[in-house]
Amino acid sequence: MQENRRVEWIDAARGIGIILAMLIHTATSSIRENDIGVFILYQFTITATMPVMMFLSGCSVSLSRSRYSQMNFKDFVKKKSKSFLLPYLCYATIVYLIFELTSRLPVIGTVMSRVGYGGMHPVHFLIGLLIGQNEYSVHVWFLYSLFVYEIISYLVFKYSKNNIPLYVLAVLFYLCQFIFNLSFSLAYLDGTGYLIYFAFGVFFTDRIVNKKLGISTTVSWIILFLAFMFLIRWYTLPYEIIKILIPLCACMAITFWSQNISGRCSEVLQWLGKRSMTLYLFQQPFFGSALGTLLYGVLGFPAWPTVFISFVLSITMPLLIRQIFVRYKWFRTMFSIK
């Protein structure tokens, strides 16, 4: 198995995933409610993005199975806390403090309240932080959930002869969404939301690593993804459980495509994938939803120029922040920048 080194196709796939994530955050609710094109873009990206990112995390974890099983639980939790919980806590707290301070300024505070970023009581913030929910930086739930998923996978790898307990748990958690009427936006609070796609990543790893199945396989999965999107999103099929197939098709399409691309395109995507933590953290909420809401909702910019400006700044500004501060050890430690 490929351990202790980066896997190029995973980096390339993460590059695609981070681009999709930025598109989600730039297509703010006020824009997509008034522009059908942005609405369609959002529907496709929101369906695929986080399942793809969880799927790829499952692939990475599966490739590290033997290394994980050699670590004791205390060292593993310490390592993953530094990788996921520390950036989660640090970034959420910094964003909270920035928004709280600026919301108290006369003019800026009025604008922030108008676009949905008013003040928040410290107790409310701390409770949200503990359960994986933050109204200012909602996107950091991914790190919170990924920490939980990796702990689960460690215990399975360490104490089970196979991955069946992980698959069973993932299916049970997925079914809980329907038994208890949880939506995906709430499911991550109790660690259920996307474990099924993480488990899919673990399951498919041995079947896709070093097995380039060709561009025809990629095209087939893309066609299936589009077909399911059309049938279920617009015809609302009654079987909710079938909806799991839509993101899975996207996961497989992006995975196989990432294995088949080469040249400059692959290099750029790998470059973005290696910086996915920086891009994911620092693009939201400032350069994604907040900027988009300000430009479109307050200043009256057209929809697509707003999305374009927010998207470009969501890439360039986090990379600029990284370039300025990456020399400092405290920055690399706080935000798990390697």
Side-chain angles (χ1 to χ4, degrees):
M1 301 296 282
Q2 304 177 47
E3 296 193 34
N4 298 315
R5 67 184 182 89
R6 302 197 72 99
V7 181
E8 291 182 352
W9 67 264
I10 290 182
D11 280 333
R14 279 206 177 108
I16 298 172
I18 201 65
I19 290 172
L20 294 176
M22 286 185 285
L23 287 173
I24 289 174
H25 295 145
T26 56
T28 60
S29 58
S30 58
I31 301 177
R32 61 180 184 267
E33 287 172 1
N34 295 286
D35 188 285
I36 185 62
V38 176
F39 173 77
I40 293 174
L41 173 68
Y42 179 82
Q43 288 296 311
F44 278 90
T45 52
I46 194 66
T47 300
T49 303
M50 298 322 298
V52 166
M53 298 299 277
M54 284 299 185
F55 180 90
L56 295 172
S57 296
C59 291
S60 296
V61 166
S62 183
L63 290 171
S64 302
R65 175 172 183 144
S66 63
R67 178 162 51 90
Y68 282 10
S69 60
Q70 293 171 4
M71 299 174 65
N72 64 57
F73 184 70
K74 181 179 179 181
D75 290 341
F76 184 82
V77 171
K78 182 178 180 181
K79 176 181 174 63
K80 294 305 173 181
S81 295
K82 289 181 178 179
S83 298
F84 301 120
L85 287 188
L86 186 59
Y88 166 79
L89 293 171
C90 290
Y91 190 74
T93 302
I94 289 172
V95 171
Y96 171 73
L97 293 174
I98 291 175
F99 274 69
E100 275 299 299
L101 291 174
T102 53
S103 67
R104 299 177 186 277
L105 300 176
V107 178
I108 298 178
T110 302
V111 174
M112 288 180 62
S113 179
R114 181 179 172 183
V115 298
Y117 289 101
M120 183 192 303
H121 194 279
V123 174
H124 182 69
F125 165 73
L126 290 174
I127 292 174
L129 200 63
L130 290 174
I131 64 175
Q133 185 180 33
N134 186 281
E135 293 180 14
Y136 288 153
S137 47
V138 178
H139 67 303
V140 294
W141 71 264
F142 177 74
L143 300 178
Y144 181 95
S145 293
L146 198 54
F147 173 78
V148 175
Y149 299 165
E150 293 230 8
I151 296 298
I152 293 173
S153 63
Y154 168 85
L155 295 174
V156 171
F157 293 165
K158 186 80 170 180
Y159 300 108
S160 176
K161 295 180 180 180
N162 52 52
N163 299 330
I164 292 178
L166 175 62
Y167 305 147
V168 171
L169 195 61
V171 171
L172 290 175
F173 281 4
Y174 189 79
L175 292 176
C176 282
Q177 295 178 89
F178 307 108
I179 295 173
F180 299 106
N181 295 318
L182 294 173
S183 66
F184 268 119
S185 61
L186 294 176
Y188 61 79
L189 299 183
D190 56 359
T192 64
Y194 294 94
L195 181 60
I196 190 73
Y197 299 105
F198 183 92
F200 271 132
V202 174
F203 176 78
F204 282 112
T205 297
D206 292 338
R207 295 158 179 80
I208 59 180
V209 172
N210 294 326
K211 296 179 182 178
K212 292 187 177 181
L213 300 181
I215 195 65
S216 60
T217 304
T218 305
V219 172
S220 299
W221 283 107
I222 292 175
I223 292 173
L224 282 173
F225 171 70
L226 295 176
F228 278 121
M229 279 293 296
F230 178 77
L231 289 173
I232 297 180
R233 285 291 185 184
W234 278 274
Y235 278 85
T236 316
L237 295 183
Y239 305 104
E240 291 288 328
I241 196 68
I242 298 178
K243 291 185 178 181
I244 194 175
L245 297 174
I246 306 177
L248 180 59
C249 290
C251 292
M252 301 306 292
I254 289 173
T255 295
F256 289 126
W257 188 62
S258 300
Q259 288 186 317
N260 283 278
I261 58 174
S262 59
R264 189 61 176 172
C265 180
S266 178
E267 292 174 1
V268 171
L269 290 174
Q270 289 179 47
W271 188 82
L272 290 173
K274 292 173 183 177
R275 291 157 179 79
S276 57
M277 175 66 86
T278 299
L279 290 166
Y280 188 78
L281 275 180
F282 294 106
Q283 55 92 22
Q284 181 72 353
F286 302 108
F287 311 110
S289 59
L291 178 61
T293 304
L294 177 64
L295 292 177
Y296 182 79
V298 178
L299 301 180
F301 274 52
W304 283 101
T306 297
V307 171
F308 177 77
I309 293 171
S310 299
F311 179 76
V312 170
L313 291 180
S314 291
I315 296 177
T316 56
M317 295 307 295
L319 294 176
L320 179 61
I321 293 172
R322 176 193 171 99
Q323 186 66 26
I324 293 173
F325 293 104
V326 74
R327 71 190 72 175
Y328 302 110
K329 184 178 179 180
W330 59 266
F331 178 82
R332 298 194 302 271
T333 301
M334 286 174 63
F335 303 112
S336 190
I337 306 298
K338 300 177 182 177

PDB file of all heavy atoms in Angstrom, residues 44-58:
ATOM      1  N   PHE A  44     -25.779  21.251  -8.449  1.00  0.00           N
ATOM      2  CA  PHE A  44     -24.807  20.245  -8.857  1.00  0.00           C
ATOM      3  C   PHE A  44     -23.614  20.199  -7.910  1.00  0.00           C
ATOM      4  O   PHE A  44     -23.145  19.116  -7.546  1.00  0.00           O
ATOM      5  CB  PHE A  44     -24.333  20.519 -10.288  1.00  0.00           C
ATOM      6  CG  PHE A  44     -25.264  19.993 -11.336  1.00  0.00           C
ATOM      7  CD1 PHE A  44     -26.290  20.774 -11.842  1.00  0.00           C
ATOM      8  CD2 PHE A  44     -25.128  18.695 -11.809  1.00  0.00           C
ATOM      9  CE1 PHE A  44     -27.161  20.289 -12.803  1.00  0.00           C
ATOM     10  CE2 PHE A  44     -25.989  18.196 -12.768  1.00  0.00           C
ATOM     11  CZ  PHE A  44     -27.013  18.993 -13.265  1.00  0.00           C
ATOM     12  N   THR A  45     -23.116  21.345  -7.491  1.00  0.00           N
ATOM     13  CA  THR A  45     -21.926  21.369  -6.642  1.00  0.00           C
ATOM     14  C   THR A  45     -22.230  20.915  -5.218  1.00  0.00           C
ATOM     15  O   THR A  45     -21.436  20.171  -4.626  1.00  0.00           O
ATOM     16  CB  THR A  45     -21.302  22.781  -6.616  1.00  0.00           C
ATOM     17  OG1 THR A  45     -22.304  23.756  -6.279  1.00  0.00           O
ATOM     18  CG2 THR A  45     -20.700  23.131  -7.962  1.00  0.00           C
ATOM     19  N   ILE A  46     -23.362  21.307  -4.663  1.00  0.00           N
ATOM     20  CA  ILE A  46     -23.688  20.928  -3.288  1.00  0.00           C
ATOM     21  C   ILE A  46     -23.940  19.435  -3.184  1.00  0.00           C
ATOM     22  O   ILE A  46     -23.681  18.813  -2.141  1.00  0.00           O
ATOM     23  CB  ILE A  46     -24.926  21.703  -2.772  1.00  0.00           C
ATOM     24  CG1 ILE A  46     -25.069  21.577  -1.241  1.00  0.00           C
ATOM     25  CG2 ILE A  46     -26.205  21.233  -3.443  1.00  0.00           C
ATOM     26  CD1 ILE A  46     -23.971  22.238  -0.461  1.00  0.00           C
ATOM     27  N   THR A  47     -24.414  18.823  -4.280  1.00  0.00           N
ATOM     28  CA  THR A  47     -24.672  17.388  -4.271  1.00  0.00           C
ATOM     29  C   THR A  47     -23.379  16.590  -4.209  1.00  0.00           C
ATOM     30  O   THR A  47     -23.311  15.545  -3.553  1.00  0.00           O
ATOM     31  CB  THR A  47     -25.468  16.982  -5.518  1.00  0.00           C
ATOM     32  OG1 THR A  47     -26.718  17.687  -5.519  1.00  0.00           O
ATOM     33  CG2 THR A  47     -25.744  15.487  -5.533  1.00  0.00           C
ATOM     34  N   ALA A  48     -22.347  17.085  -4.875  1.00  0.00           N
ATOM     35  CA  ALA A  48     -21.123  16.303  -5.030  1.00  0.00           C
ATOM     36  C   ALA A  48     -20.019  16.632  -4.038  1.00  0.00           C
ATOM     37  O   ALA A  48     -19.266  15.744  -3.616  1.00  0.00           O
ATOM     38  CB  ALA A  48     -20.581  16.479  -6.454  1.00  0.00           C
ATOM     39  N   THR A  49     -19.895  17.874  -3.623  1.00  0.00           N
ATOM     40  CA  THR A  49     -18.657  18.344  -3.007  1.00  0.00           C
ATOM     41  C   THR A  49     -18.266  17.628  -1.730  1.00  0.00           C
ATOM     42  O   THR A  49     -17.194  17.012  -1.653  1.00  0.00           O
ATOM     43  CB  THR A  49     -18.753  19.867  -2.731  1.00  0.00           C
ATOM     44  OG1 THR A  49     -19.042  20.531  -3.954  1.00  0.00           O
ATOM     45  CG2 THR A  49     -17.439  20.380  -2.161  1.00  0.00           C
ATOM     46  N   MET A  50     -19.084  17.702  -0.693  1.00  0.00           N
ATOM     47  CA  MET A  50     -18.670  17.134   0.585  1.00  0.00           C
ATOM     48  C   MET A  50     -18.611  15.607   0.559  1.00  0.00           C
ATOM     49  O   MET A  50     -17.711  15.021   1.174  1.00  0.00           O
ATOM     50  CB  MET A  50     -19.578  17.633   1.716  1.00  0.00           C
ATOM     51  CG  MET A  50     -19.540  19.138   1.915  1.00  0.00           C
ATOM     52  SD  MET A  50     -17.901  19.907   1.694  1.00  0.00           S
ATOM     53  CE  MET A  50     -16.933  19.137   2.969  1.00  0.00           C
ATOM     54  N   PRO A  51     -19.523  14.921  -0.150  1.00  0.00           N
ATOM     55  CA  PRO A  51     -19.320  13.479  -0.305  1.00  0.00           C
ATOM     56  C   PRO A  51     -17.988  13.141  -0.958  1.00  0.00           C
ATOM     57  O   PRO A  51     -17.316  12.188  -0.555  1.00  0.00           O
ATOM     58  CB  PRO A  51     -20.505  13.055  -1.186  1.00  0.00           C
ATOM     59  CG  PRO A  51     -21.576  14.031  -0.844  1.00  0.00           C
ATOM     60  CD  PRO A  51     -20.861  15.335  -0.660  1.00  0.00           C
ATOM     61  N   VAL A  52     -17.594  13.919  -1.963  1.00  0.00           N
ATOM     62  CA  VAL A  52     -16.308  13.677  -2.628  1.00  0.00           C
ATOM     63  C   VAL A  52     -15.157  13.880  -1.659  1.00  0.00           C
ATOM     64  O   VAL A  52     -14.219  13.057  -1.589  1.00  0.00           O
ATOM     65  CB  VAL A  52     -16.140  14.598  -3.855  1.00  0.00           C
ATOM     66  CG1 VAL A  52     -14.692  14.599  -4.342  1.00  0.00           C
ATOM     67  CG2 VAL A  52     -17.071  14.169  -4.973  1.00  0.00           C
ATOM     68  N   MET A  53     -15.200  14.958  -0.874  1.00  0.00           N
ATOM     69  CA  MET A  53     -14.115  15.224   0.076  1.00  0.00           C
ATOM     70  C   MET A  53     -14.042  14.141   1.150  1.00  0.00           C
ATOM     71  O   MET A  53     -12.957  13.717   1.559  1.00  0.00           O
ATOM     72  CB  MET A  53     -14.303  16.601   0.705  1.00  0.00           C
ATOM     73  CG  MET A  53     -14.248  17.753  -0.284  1.00  0.00           C
ATOM     74  SD  MET A  53     -12.663  17.888  -1.152  1.00  0.00           S
ATOM     75  CE  MET A  53     -11.700  18.780   0.060  1.00  0.00           C
ATOM     76  N   MET A  54     -15.204  13.664   1.603  1.00  0.00           N
ATOM     77  CA  MET A  54     -15.213  12.582   2.590  1.00  0.00           C
ATOM     78  C   MET A  54     -14.746  11.272   1.974  1.00  0.00           C
ATOM     79  O   MET A  54     -14.026  10.490   2.602  1.00  0.00           O
ATOM     80  CB  MET A  54     -16.621  12.418   3.185  1.00  0.00           C
ATOM     81  CG  MET A  54     -16.987  13.477   4.197  1.00  0.00           C
ATOM     82  SD  MET A  54     -15.858  13.441   5.625  1.00  0.00           S
ATOM     83  CE  MET A  54     -16.646  14.672   6.668  1.00  0.00           C
ATOM     84  N   PHE A  55     -15.145  11.021   0.742  1.00  0.00           N
ATOM     85  CA  PHE A  55     -14.716   9.826   0.021  1.00  0.00           C
ATOM     86  C   PHE A  55     -13.189   9.798  -0.081  1.00  0.00           C
ATOM     87  O   PHE A  55     -12.556   8.763   0.187  1.00  0.00           O
ATOM     88  CB  PHE A  55     -15.360   9.829  -1.363  1.00  0.00           C
ATOM     89  CG  PHE A  55     -15.012   8.645  -2.218  1.00  0.00           C
ATOM     90  CD1 PHE A  55     -15.792   7.499  -2.183  1.00  0.00           C
ATOM     91  CD2 PHE A  55     -13.924   8.684  -3.079  1.00  0.00           C
ATOM     92  CE1 PHE A  55     -15.484   6.400  -2.985  1.00  0.00           C
ATOM     93  CE2 PHE A  55     -13.612   7.593  -3.879  1.00  0.00           C
ATOM     94  CZ  PHE A  55     -14.383   6.459  -3.836  1.00  0.00           C
ATOM     95  N   LEU A  56     -12.589  10.908  -0.450  1.00  0.00           N
ATOM     96  CA  LEU A  56     -11.136  10.988  -0.592  1.00  0.00           C
ATOM     97  C   LEU A  56     -10.434  10.846   0.753  1.00  0.00           C
ATOM     98  O   LEU A  56      -9.357  10.241   0.841  1.00  0.00           O
ATOM     99  CB  LEU A  56     -10.753  12.310  -1.252  1.00  0.00           C
ATOM    100  CG  LEU A  56     -11.228  12.484  -2.697  1.00  0.00           C
ATOM    101  CD1 LEU A  56     -10.968  13.898  -3.178  1.00  0.00           C
ATOM    102  CD2 LEU A  56     -10.557  11.470  -3.610  1.00  0.00           C
ATOM    103  N   SER A  57     -11.045  11.367   1.805  1.00  0.00           N
ATOM    104  CA  SER A  57     -10.484  11.186   3.149  1.00  0.00           C
ATOM    105  C   SER A  57     -10.500   9.712   3.528  1.00  0.00           C
ATOM    106  O   SER A  57      -9.553   9.207   4.142  1.00  0.00           O
ATOM    107  CB  SER A  57     -11.275  12.005   4.171  1.00  0.00           C
ATOM    108  OG  SER A  57     -11.162  13.386   3.904  1.00  0.00           O
ATOM    109  N   GLY A  58     -11.574   9.013   3.160  1.00  0.00           N
ATOM    110  CA  GLY A  58     -11.634   7.581   3.404  1.00  0.00           C
ATOM    111  C   GLY A  58     -10.559   6.826   2.635  1.00  0.00           C
ATOM    112  O   GLY A  58      -9.951   5.884   3.158  1.00  0.00           O
TER     113      GLY A  58
END
